[in-house]
Amino acid sequence: MAYVREPFLYRFLRFAAALGLVLGISLFYRRVLPVNPTTVALTFLLAILAVSTVWGIPVSVFMSIAAMLAFNYYFLPPVGKFTVADPQNWVALFAFLVVSVIASTLSTRARQKAEDASARRREIEKLYAFSQGLLESGNVIQLLNRIPAQIVNTFEVGAAALLLSEKQKVYRSGPVIPRLDIDSLKAIVAREEPVIDVPNSLCFVPVRLGVRPIGSLGISGSTLSRQTLEAIGTLIAVAMERARAIEQLGQTEATREGERLRTALTESVTHNLRTPLTSIKASVTNLLTNAGLSDAQRQDLLVVINEESDRLNRLVGEAAEMARLDAGEVQLKFESTSIENVIDAALIRCKSTLGNRTVRVVVATGLPRVRVDLELVKEALSHLIENANQYSPADEPITITAELSGDFLATSVADRGAGIDDLEQSLIFEKFYRGKDQRFLVQGTGMGLPIAKAIVVAHGGSMNLTSQRGQGSVFSFTLPIDHTRPGSS
């Protein structure tokens, strides 16, 4: 009931204020500052224009009539009476009334046009913000879940519901409104026309891709213009199609990359398995068919069989270790140690592999200790050292550095080899993958780098690669520092 009285009270006060303004002007010019009737008429006209701009046509027309009567009563002879002695004054009164009404009407229309333009500008700004928000999602499901909430926030409505015809599913935001049920939304898809229900503050619009409806949108709590509704429907359809295209492109690219990786892995595994088996087979065949071999020749063939068997055994063992790391079946035996101990242990393990190669070790002073499984981290660093040794010239040094990086200790192994191109850098840590230019020139299983990365990740660290063709590569990994025992060793 209070809600009904309040607008009436406001309207009454506006009419009363307009009447009071007319009386005030009349009394001011009658008793305080006497002027000629023309000045009074112009003052009334200015006041009417101001009122029409602020309060609209009904109040300004009422004020025009009141001003005409006041002008007649107070300023046209005979003064103090609602009669006109001179016929010319009838023309003046009529002209005054017509001018005031027309002027107030034009002023009100100008104000309405300005308000409409401002409203359209705000709607365009909201549509722009809405379109920008739609670009943030590249996944169709994520986009569908976000659209209703984004409509509620951007257009300041009470609730929104989006129906996707293909899935017959409704995505909502805000309170559940009975009139925004799935049947109402389906009816809009069939009707293919926007519906604006002002009394119930509801509006519906079909979501069309071109001329084909793919769903519908319902909004409650506020009504938007037909143009805005159609723009929203078009933006939603375009965003959904864009997200679907991005997904398909990603799936196609992932399939292409998967096929390329699968081919590379197959080639690498086939080569790594076939090479030792071929050597073993050739040596055994030679021993069995050639009875005239000397003892030295037999010994050489047995050495080949032994070495290739070890190589094959190492390949199988590394694959099994990688499987355990992937499955999380490796139990870490943590201990507090310095990074110098890890580097020294890895260099001792790689001593026979490195031979006479120069290895430079640069460790910053005062480094904190790390809490790691020494054997596993030593193995990870050994794989990086052996990788640098295999893929760089024998006369070039290997540089090992260690420094503090926030809450982690960063260790790097740098070589001066041929480097790795950008495409291969994304594949280099994949199981069995080996560089396309080196896989048939350098012996290896393609498991060292994946094992090293898996060990580092198991410790809560990360591994990165920086490389440039012709400039060498830098493999670096981080390990969390041991906060329980600060200070260097």
Side-chain angles (χ1 to χ4, degrees), residues 44-46 48-53 56-57 60-61 64 95-111:
F44 277 137
L45 189 59
L46 288 175
I48 291 169
L49 288 175
V51 168
S52 66
T53 302
I57 291 180
S60 64
V61 170
S64 298
F96 173 79
L97 179 61
V98 171
V99 169
S100 61
V101 171
I102 292 176
S104 62
T105 302
L106 294 176
S107 176
T108 302
R109 287 181 180 177
R111 177 175 64 87

Side-chain angles (χ1 to χ4, degrees), residues 216-452:
S216 62
L217 173 70
I219 297 174
S220 174
S222 179
T223 55
L224 305 177
S225 66
R226 182 187 180 95
Q227 294 81 0
T228 301
L229 286 173
E230 292 180 342
I232 292 174
T234 302
L235 286 174
I236 292 173
V238 171
M240 289 171 57
E241 190 64 19
R242 171 185 172 275
R244 187 176 290 110
I246 291 176
E247 276 190 346
Q248 292 176 351
L249 179 62
Q251 292 172 358
T252 303
E253 187 64 24
T255 302
R256 186 182 299 114
E257 289 292 332
E259 289 295 332
R260 183 169 54 187
L261 177 59
R262 188 178 297 109
T263 301
L265 294 181
T266 302
E267 291 178 357
S268 180
V269 172
T270 301
H271 174 73
N272 288 325
L273 289 175
R274 182 174 293 172
T275 300
L277 287 174
T278 301
S279 299
I280 293 172
K281 178 64 176 178
S283 299
V284 171
T285 301
N286 202 4
L287 286 171
L288 292 175
T289 59
N290 195 345
L293 294 175
S294 64
D295 292 340
Q297 290 174 327
R298 290 177 180 275
Q299 182 64 28
D300 290 340
L301 291 175
L302 290 173
V303 169
V304 171
I305 294 173
N306 183 62
E307 289 178 350
E308 294 301 324
S309 297
D310 289 340
R311 180 181 172 187
L312 189 60
N313 183 62
R314 184 169 62 254
L315 173 62
V316 175
E318 289 180 347
E321 182 180 8
M322 189 71 241
R324 289 196 302 272
L325 288 168
D326 283 343
E329 296 177 355
V330 177
Q331 297 294 325
L332 301 181
K333 300 177 182 179
F334 289 102
E335 59 180 293
S336 182
T337 186
S338 64
I339 196 64
E340 290 93 334
N341 289 341
V342 176
I343 296 173
D344 291 342
L347 289 175
I348 292 173
R349 175 174 175 170
C350 299
K351 185 176 181 179
S352 60
T353 303
L354 292 171
N356 295 324
R357 183 188 291 273
T358 301
V359 178
R360 297 173 181 170
V361 179
V362 182
V363 179
T365 58
L367 291 179
R369 299 168 73 87
V370 290
R371 186 171 178 80
V372 297
D373 186 316
L374 181 57
E375 287 299 318
L376 287 179
V377 174
K378 176 183 70 175
E379 179 182 356
L381 182 55
S382 299
H383 283 303
L384 297 183
I385 296 172
E386 290 172 353
N387 183 78
N389 181 65
Q390 284 182 312
Y391 294 98
S392 61
D395 57 343
E396 295 290 348
I398 295 174
T399 303
I400 302 174
T401 61
E403 60 185 359
L404 188 63
S405 177
D407 290 335
F408 293 85
L409 207 60
T411 306
S412 302
V413 177
D415 63 58
R416 297 182 183 177
I420 305 170
D421 61 33
D422 294 338
L423 177 61
E424 286 194 292
Q425 287 185 30
S426 61
L427 303 173
I428 202 67
F429 291 106
E430 297 292 339
K431 293 183 278 293
F432 297 109
Y433 184 82
R434 300 177 66 217
K436 61 182 180 180
D437 298 330
Q438 304 291 332
R439 64 183 63 161
F440 300 115
L441 301 177
V442 180
Q443 290 188 354
T445 63
M447 293 294 291
L449 293 178
I451 288 175

